Amino acid sequence: MTTPQPRRRPGALPSDRAHQLARRLRERIDGEVRFDPGSRALYATDGSLYRQPPIGVVLPRHADDVVATVALCREFGAPVLSRGAGTSLAGQCCNTAVVIDFSKYMNRVIALDPQQRSAVVEPGCVLDDLREQAEQHGLTFGPDPATHRHNTLGGMLGNNSCGIHSIMAGRTADNVIALEILTYDGQRFWVGGGGEDELRSRADAGGREGEIFRDLLALRERCADAVRDRFPDIPRRVSGYCLEKLLPEHGSNVGAALVGSEGTCVVVLQARLRLVPSPRCRTLLVLGYPDIHEAADAVPDILAFGPIGCEGVDSELVRLMRKQGLRTNDLELLPDGHGWLFVEFGGDDQRESDAAAERLAAHLRLCDAPPRIRRCSAAEQQRRLWSIREAGLGATAQVPGEPTTHPGWEDAAVAPTRLGAYLREFRALLDRYGYHCALYGHFGDGCVHCRIDFDMRSVRGVARWRQFMDDAADLVVAHGGSFSGEHGDGQLRASLLPKLYGVELVEAFREFKRLWDPDGAMNPGKVIDPYPIDADLRLSPELHLPKLQTRFTYPDDRFDFANATLRCVGVGQCRDLHDEVMCPSYRGTREEMHSTRGRARLLFEMMKGELITDGFDSQAVHDALHLCLACKACKRDCPVDVDMATWKAEFMARHYRRRLRPRDALSMGLIFWWARIGAHAPGLINALTRNDWSALPLKRLAGIAAERRVPRFASPDFRREFHRRPASVDGRPVVLFADTFGNHFDPGPLRAAAAVLRASGYAPWVTPKPVCCARPLYAEGMLDLARAQLRNLLDALAEPIARDWPVVGVEPACVASLVDELPRLFPHDARASHLARHSFLLADFLRREGIDLGASIRSGASGMQAVMHAHCIHHADFDPQADRELLASVGVPTRLLDAGCCGMAGSFGMSADRFELSLRIGEHALMPALRGVASDRLWIASGFSCREQIEHCTGRRPLDLAEVLQQRMAA
């Protein structure tokens, strides 16, 4: 490998100097300064193979904070690293430097000018925030990576990101008008926007700014011919610096030339971006080919028809998705084949986009071997199909029973005309090394994504990976391509650049960096004069994590908690503020430590023991997990199925082994026992909790927020009421699970469920003695008590289990405990596995049984219309669509809200120290969505805690599904 000697690595500041820098920063800036071990652990890696703990982290509130931060770093000799969402795959977002995280505060769209088709943004602005505002004017920002819901524009500027629609709009560098930048030596000015005249006039100015522009002109003069000759003439050349943007034929745009420099030259403070018209209507063709190579061969022909997107997916990706049960319903929409192209057309109206798609379809039907064609005009169907392509990284990263895959050669690009030939030779190269991977990516631009099963845990495996990188680079060069078509060079591919560009151009890159950053302090060791490719590996032969005896088993992670903490691959979908449910606490705080990814990183660092040295006693890890709602949404929404609720329970169980638990944990974690005591005198308890003179001291004693209403005890509770009436002897027996909250505080849904089951031909049975699913105990990490409680439950249900009776519940969190947590706490108990297989929510049970409620509940239009909010665990472990379909069958059309979490999450929102965050989470999306619903609509919410929170915030209590069904029976 022709690797240049790396420059001397800047050392971390001695601890006393780091403390002095942190103190000075706190004195000077309005933003937040974090140099503690926990914060350093959070930012020690990105989405790549690398790990480099930073000196500290700064979260600036405004540009003046950034200027002051860089000035103090210069004074102390500390390197600087700009960071957005931290999803980079080549190691450019981690370094031994002061990390400036723009995402929490500097995230605004400052201005949007629809006439000029431009926008000014701060670097922490999320791409979709800009796109949502631009769409109001029929515009969009063209580059759109799959992470568009949470990636920042600063990160896109750093990496020169592209995305699905770059064949319509080009790379980020092609859509930058100008940048406001800050150099390490303190120069702050705008660059770009003025073309050749600006470049020459500013070179005539005095001072440091004039010097920079004079050096740029001199550099251009020396290297222009080499740039024209050696830069690959392909759509997706991202490797190296964008020196072509300095050339007159490319606009002489200095700002654009800085795009893709990965924070190694300047800090970007603002960006003026070009917007492009957004097609009002779209049509998607999905084309099925015999294999991915033939699909790639077809791309040049397809591009002649002017699509706005052209993506490829191979059969291995689809196989892995099926194996994980990921998007299985969506996969059924694919036409027959073993390699697919997703080809999108746009138009001002549906007729125009449909016609454009049909022109291509008609052409393809005349080919000698035409592909299978599926045309989709409906937006929902298009969304489902695109979700298959966007699932690529998650679907290939952590698959049970499959080798672990890694980035390392994940986005090489060639000319579309060479794509088929390149893929065949690339597959042969993989076979020669014995590597396996799925292939997908932006085929319209010749860019291929993959995660490969490199062995990073042995010395031989790392050496073999390094040799593969060398051979893969040679293959790309032979095809006139680029090592990176989207994700940048970072530390991963930088040492390969001489193969692609030659010594002269690499020296020009080095000079380009030096004229902006003569001190070499901007993200050192990345792109230019790189750290060794195999240094600083997060997973390496030297990594040895302890093997623990745990309460839960981890069958998908080799039965090893430490290995489970490696599951997160850093894609950052938990930072999404727009769709799905994960991660509520991040949405309420915009703090990395309160994202699923942040918590996973802290747990890994705790197991590693280098930065976080106090193990399960760590306060930093505790504080991050304390604000986890244990909502389990990450188990559904995370691309790699991180199960933070389980990890939190495991941690808290160990953390509190020798500690007194907080008051709210004791009052609400032990709610099963407190509720049983209260049930003996419900009137007295209700009186005490409804009078301020007694309620406030009681809530303070219990750690409950003063603003919260303590739920009223039912008199009698559901179980007693049920057993007072004669037992039903008609119908098939079914266990109706009387959960603690439904039994003692909100019996209406249980009563209604019993009525619905009877009307459907079943004889509900309720345990004579109170039982509990132990969910409140999991949430607090009281796992030994939880196991004891679940043993009692298994004993109480021994006869129904033996007789094969199904168990039906109305509370999603409780039924999920039986389906998910129970068998993992009792992996060798046949009763537990039987109960897990035979426990259902009401709607799921009726659907499984094929019950036609129209026969027992008056069908036809009811005059009712409803909106439904699904409990987070309902979303995570079940299918809320079953509820919607059941309601539709009884004449109640229902819209399922996509508005995230309510913020209550059982005991979470009741506790005094989490009350405000609980409200912020609910007000993020759900409460505004409900307030916007017409007043005559029914509100339905699955989950006692959701109904409590919605009533607290809006004054209106939703119904449970069973209660609506019971109303229809009585109609």
Side-chain angles (χ1 to χ4, degrees):
M1 185 184 300
T2 54
T3 306
Q5 284 292 326
R7 62 184 293 154
R8 185 180 62 83
R9 180 187 299 239
L13 291 183
S15 59
D16 59 333
R17 291 280 289 169
H19 290 316
Q20 292 175 28
L21 173 57
R23 177 178 56 78
R24 292 280 301 280
L25 283 166
R26 292 187 184 100
E27 293 170 352
R28 287 277 301 277
I29 72 171
D30 297 326
E32 300 177 35
V33 179
R34 302 175 182 175
F35 279 50
D36 59 284
S39 296
R40 295 175 62 219
L42 281 169
Y43 290 82
T45 187
D46 48 16
S48 73
L49 296 168
Y50 298 100
R51 174 186 176 273
Q52 292 159 327
I55 297 168
V57 182
V58 172
L59 286 74
R61 291 182 182 271
H62 44 69
D64 288 344
D65 277 352
V66 182
V67 173
T69 297
V70 172
L72 281 169
C73 287
R74 183 171 67 252
E75 181 181 330
F76 279 78
V80 170
L81 165 61
S82 299
R83 178 164 162 143
T87 60
S88 294
L89 293 172
Q92 59 265 51
C93 258
C94 57
N95 213 328
T96 306
V98 173
V99 172
I100 303 177
D101 181 352
F102 291 94
S103 63
K104 185 174 182 181
Y105 296 116
M106 292 185 65
N107 52 37
R108 298 174 301 151
V109 177
I110 297 172
L112 195 152
D113 187 335
Q115 282 71 43
Q116 295 296 318
R117 293 183 178 175
S118 68
V120 179
V121 300
E122 292 179 312
C125 178
V126 170
L127 172 58
D128 269 8
D129 290 345
L130 170 62
R131 296 207 306 171
E132 285 176 6
Q133 293 190 35
E135 286 288 353
Q136 297 174 22
H137 306 282
L139 301 171
T140 191
F141 186 66
D144 58 342
T147 54
H148 54 85
R149 291 193 297 268
H150 59 276
N151 72 260
T152 67
L153 285 154
M156 292 181 67
L157 292 165
N159 288 347
N160 198 6
S161 299
C162 304
I164 290 172
H165 294 103
S166 62
I167 62 173
M168 174 181 76
R171 307 166 299 166
T172 297
D174 304 317
N175 293 273
V176 165
I177 300 170
L179 302 176
E180 185 187 19
I181 56 100
L182 173 70
T183 64
Y184 189 74
D185 57 10
Q187 305 300 308
R188 177 182 179 181
F189 49 87
W190 283 87
V191 292
E196 185 70 14
D197 290 342
E198 177 196 31
L199 181 56
R200 292 191 176 279
S201 64
R202 294 177 75 169
D204 292 334
R208 175 78 172 105
E209 183 179 332
E211 176 189 338
I212 290 172
F213 279 85
R214 286 192 295 277
D215 288 345
L216 284 171
L217 280 173
L219 174 63
R220 186 179 74 174
E221 182 70 22
R222 287 194 300 276
C223 73
D225 289 341
V227 168
R228 294 182 178 106
D229 291 342
R230 290 295 300 263
F231 271 37
D233 185 18
I234 60 175
R236 287 293 191 94
R237 187 208 60 80
V238 171
S239 283
Y241 290 148
C242 286
L243 297 187
E244 81 279 7
K245 292 296 184 181
L246 295 176
L247 303 180
E249 62 266 34
H250 291 280
S252 304
N253 189 326
V254 176
L258 285 166
V259 174
S261 57
E262 301 179 16
T264 61
C265 296
V266 299
V267 178
V268 175
L269 300 176
Q270 294 184 72
R272 181 173 291 111
L273 306 175
R274 180 177 293 106
L275 304 177
V276 298
S278 178
R280 295 179 181 177
C281 297
R282 301 179 188 225
T283 305
L284 179 64
L285 289 183
V286 184
L287 312 176
Y289 290 87
D291 60 38
I292 195 63
H293 308 117
E294 291 193 32
D297 291 337
V299 167
D301 195 27
I302 288 169
L303 293 178
F305 286 80
I308 63 173
C310 180
E311 301 289 293
V313 166
D314 77 350
S315 57
E316 179 66 4
L317 175 62
V318 171
R319 181 187 74 83
L320 294 174
M321 293 179 73
R322 290 192 191 281
K323 184 172 183 177
Q324 298 171 85
L326 184 65
R327 307 283 185 189
T328 51
N329 291 334
D330 302 332
L331 292 173
E332 299 306 316
L333 297 175
L334 291 174
D336 291 342
H338 295 282
W340 294 269
L341 293 178
F342 292 58
V343 186
E344 186 178 61
F345 291 87
D348 289 336
D349 55 40
Q350 198 63 52
R351 181 183 302 175
E352 182 181 349
S353 65
D354 285 349
E358 183 53 35
R359 282 192 290 273
L360 172 60
H363 170 76
L364 293 173
R365 292 187 193 104
L366 299 176
C367 295
D368 292 339
R372 297 296 180 93
I373 301 173
R374 185 182 188 98
R375 195 182 88 181
C376 301
S377 298
E380 175 60 18
Q381 208 168 62
Q382 291 184 47
R383 183 197 64 77
R384 291 173 60 192
L385 282 162
W386 276 124
S387 73
I388 297 170
R389 164 60 187 89
E390 291 186 353
L393 187 153
T396 59
Q398 296 279 358
V399 183
E402 301 281 342
T404 300
T405 62
H406 303 281
W409 188 263
E410 73 283 341
D411 72 320
V414 298
T417 54
R418 303 291 295 270
L419 183 59
Y422 166 73
L423 285 182
R424 288 179 176 89
E425 293 187 44
F426 182 62
R427 179 62 72 187
L429 178 65
L430 291 168
D431 291 344
R432 193 164 81 240
Y433 276 85
Y435 291 147
H436 304 87
C437 69
L439 299 173
Y440 59 96
H442 311 295
F443 279 27
D445 277 335
C447 180
V448 182
H449 292 321
C450 58
R451 290 178 64 92
I452 302 174
D453 56 346
F454 302 123
D455 170 17
M456 308 302 297
R457 302 297 293 272
S458 73
V459 173
R460 181 177 181 276
V462 171
R464 191 167 178 78
W465 162 67
R466 285 197 60 185
Q467 184 60 51
F468 171 83
M469 294 288 287
D470 219 29
D471 290 346
D474 290 339
L475 177 60
V476 168
V477 171
H479 281 274
S482 171
F483 304 149
S484 176
E486 186 159 40
H487 297 147
D489 300 315
Q491 183 171 341
L492 182 63
R493 287 177 284 268
S495 61
L496 301 170
L497 289 178
K499 286 176 174 284
L500 179 59
Y501 292 110
V503 174
E504 179 187 357
L505 277 177
V506 171
E507 182 55 40
F509 293 155
R510 183 175 290 112
E511 186 175 344
F512 184 75
K513 173 178 168 61
R514 190 183 301 126
L515 66 87
W516 295 105
D517 177 32
D519 295 314
M522 302 296 289
N523 203 11
K526 315 293 175 162
V527 186
I528 297 302
D529 300 321
Y531 303 148
I533 187 175
D534 56 355
D536 313 299
L537 294 174
R538 184 167 65 99
L539 305 180
S540 69
E542 292 77 35
L543 179 66
H544 301 288
L545 301 178
K547 180 91 172 179
L548 303 177
Q549 291 294 321
T550 54
R551 271 77 165 185
F552 284 100
T553 58
Y554 296 89
D556 293 337
D557 296 291
R558 303 173 192 166
F559 299 92
D560 184 358
F561 176 76
N563 198 61
T565 66
L566 298 173
R567 176 167 285 273
C568 176
V569 296
V571 69
Q573 197 163 317
C574 45
R575 293 168 58 100
D576 179 6
L577 298 172
H578 296 83
D579 297 315
E580 298 183 321
V581 179
M582 174 186 69
C583 171
S585 47
Y586 177 77
R587 293 182 181 189
T589 64
R590 294 189 78 141
E591 286 279 2
E592 177 71 15
M593 70 180 289
H594 297 307
S595 68
T596 305
R597 180 180 71 179
R599 294 180 177 115
R601 294 271 169 77
L602 285 171
L603 287 165
F604 166 74
E605 292 289 344
M606 177 192 78
M607 298 301 293
K608 185 176 176 62
E610 178 185 308
L611 290 173
I612 298 176
T613 58
D614 45 358
F616 284 89
D617 292 325
S618 169
Q619 191 63 39
V621 180
H622 172 275
D623 290 348
L625 290 170
H626 180 63
L627 294 191
C628 169
L629 283 75
C631 69
K632 299 183 70 171
C634 51
K635 191 177 178 186
R636 167 73 176 269
D637 296 343
C638 172
V640 293
D641 302 326
V642 165
D643 184 3
M644 193 54 62
T646 298
W647 300 0
K648 174 185 178 180
E650 197 78 66
F651 174 86
M652 293 299 183
R654 288 175 173 263
H655 186 79
Y656 282 106
R657 280 176 303 183
R658 295 179 295 272
R659 288 182 173 86
L660 181 65
R661 291 179 180 271
R663 288 171 294 166
D664 58 320
L666 296 173
S667 65
M668 287 174 278
L670 305 177
I671 188 64
F672 173 68
W673 290 277
W674 296 123
R676 291 178 67 187
I677 294 170
H680 291 293
L684 175 61
I685 299 298
N686 289 337
L688 290 173
T689 58
R690 287 299 191 272
N691 289 294
D692 287 345
W693 64 269
S694 57
L696 287 174
L698 285 173
K699 285 190 275 190
R700 189 174 297 114
L701 180 65
I704 295 173
E707 298 87 346
R708 285 292 185 197
R709 182 194 67 174
V710 176
R712 182 183 292 274
F713 275 87
S715 181
D717 61 47
F718 170 76
R719 189 182 52 81
R720 288 193 177 98
E721 176 187 320
F722 182 89
H723 286 292
R724 285 177 185 173
R725 62 179 292 167
S728 172
V729 293
D730 298 325
R732 289 167 286 174
V734 58
V735 177
L736 179 57
F737 188 80
D739 61 276
T740 297
F741 288 97
N743 183 45
H744 290 289
F745 303 108
D746 190 18
L750 286 169
R751 289 194 202 108
V756 171
L757 288 168
R758 291 189 186 101
S760 302
Y762 296 92
W765 180 87
V766 175
T767 57
K769 293 182 178 180
V771 294
C772 186
C773 68
R775 172 68 61 190
L777 297 171
Y778 302 140
E780 302 298 343
M782 300 180 183
L783 295 184
D784 294 332
L785 267 179
R787 286 175 59 87
Q789 196 170 73
L790 288 171
R791 284 194 195 96
N792 292 335
L793 172 63
L794 290 170
D795 292 342
L797 294 179
E799 183 178 356
I801 291 172
R803 295 189 178 189
D804 216 24
W805 294 357
V807 176
V808 176
V810 297
E811 182 64 37
C814 297
V815 179
S817 293
L818 308 183
V819 171
D820 187 14
E821 282 84 0
L822 174 66
R824 290 190 291 123
L825 284 171
F826 296 91
H828 307 298
D829 190 322
R831 298 178 304 169
S833 59
H834 182 281
L835 190 56
R837 293 193 307 271
H838 292 82
S839 297
F840 308 93
L841 282 174
L842 178 62
D844 295 322
F845 175 71
L846 294 175
R847 179 164 68 174
R848 189 196 76 143
E849 295 289 293
I851 300 299
D852 178 13
L853 286 182
S856 55
I857 298 177
R858 186 172 166 191
S859 60
S862 65
M864 300 177 182
Q865 295 186 55
V867 294
M868 177 182 168
H869 165 70
H871 188 290
C872 292
I873 294 179
H874 193 175
H875 167 82
D877 281 341
F878 304 102
D879 182 10
Q881 291 293 342
D883 297 57
R884 191 183 65 80
E885 292 166 8
L886 182 57
L887 288 162
S889 74
V890 298
V892 183
T894 302
R895 176 166 60 96
L896 189 61
L897 295 174
D898 180 17
C901 178
C902 75
M904 180 65 90
S907 63
F908 180 92
M910 294 292 290
S911 63
D913 67 332
R914 296 179 291 201
F915 170 73
E916 292 295 337
L917 176 58
S918 169
L919 294 189
R920 284 205 305 274
I921 292 169
E923 293 292 346
H924 176 77
L926 177 59
M927 302 310 162
L930 285 171
R931 294 186 189 107
V933 170
S935 60
D936 61 345
R937 299 292 194 269
L938 287 177
W939 289 8
I940 302 171
S942 59
F944 172 78
S945 60
C946 296
R947 294 190 291 274
E948 285 286 304
Q949 177 81 322
I950 291 169
E951 185 176 12
H952 177 98
C953 292
T954 69
R956 179 176 171 183
R957 189 174 187 84
L959 298 173
D960 179 78
L961 166 74
E963 292 174 305
V964 178
L965 298 178
Q966 186 181 38
Q967 285 185 19
R968 290 292 289 136
M969 285 194 307

